[in-house]
Amino acid sequence: MMKQTIRGLAAISIFLLLQTGCGTVRVKQETAKAPIVVKELARSSQSWDGALLPAYPQGQPRVTILRITIPAGAQLHTHHHLVINAGMLLSGELTVVARDGKTLQLKAGDPIIELVNTSHYGINHGKVPAEILVFYAGVTDAPITVVEPD
């Protein structure tokens, strides 16, 4: 489990580094015991439902990284995110359901570019906990997620 988490963090970190304007990754190949492999997991200007991502908020940037564990059979409260966020399902399976009924099925290793300003929830229909690692690009003193009343 720890190796999967480390691989997931490394993959997401490399993904973020390879974004336009973030520089390049340089490794001395002779120090590696195996070839360095970089696999792009996701790149988009749209969330998973096809909506264009909004502009980044104004203010002092604050990056938040959350590891969220959703027990088997559990459903998250309906919520929406105020900022751009992306993640990867580390283990288990998860179904994300948007306000308009669109759904996204995730299995371990799948990336997601989340919905912004659109109500949705996640549900774990699986038999094991689902763990997702999510990176949020927000600003200080502003929430990243708003839970909606039931």
Side-chain angles (χ1 to χ4, degrees):
M1 181 69 73
M2 182 59 97
K3 284 184 181 179
Q4 284 179 329
T5 301
I6 291 170
R7 278 194 299 254
L9 285 170
I12 290 171
S13 296
I14 289 171
F15 166 75
L16 291 172
L17 284 171
L18 292 176
Q19 294 304 299
T20 303
C22 291
T24 59
V25 177
R26 302 185 102 192
V27 177
K28 291 184 177 181
Q29 185 61 47
E30 62 272 9
T31 64
K33 300 201 188 284
I36 304 302
V37 177
V38 176
K39 180 180 178 184
E40 183 173 284
L41 300 176
R43 180 186 295 226
S44 182
S45 296
Q46 302 172 329
S47 57
W48 64 261
D49 69 345
L52 287 176
L53 294 171
Y56 289 107
Q58 295 296 312
Q60 175 59 48
R62 179 176 63 193
V63 173
T64 302
I65 303 171
L66 299 179
R67 182 180 183 149
I68 303 165
T69 302
I70 305 159
Q75 179 176 320
L76 299 171
H77 289 284
T78 300
H79 61 281
H80 64 275
H81 304 289
L82 301 176
V83 298
I84 294 172
N85 64 95
M88 186 173 71
L89 192 65
L90 300 174
S91 62
E93 58 187 68
L94 187 64
T95 301
V96 183
V97 182
R99 167 183 38 212
D100 63 5
K102 289 182 183 175
T103 61
L104 176 67
Q105 305 287 329
L106 296 170
K107 62 185 184 321
D110 286 344
I112 180 174
I113 298 174
E114 260 284 31
L115 305 173
V116 181
N117 297 318
T118 299
S119 299
H120 62 283
Y121 63 89
I123 187 166
N124 180 354
H125 291 293
K127 298 183 187 309
V128 299
E131 285 193 307
I132 188 166
L133 186 66
V134 187
F135 293 75
Y136 297 85
V139 295
T140 56
D141 301 323
I144 54 177
T145 301
V146 174
V147 176
E148 298 176 7
D150 290 332

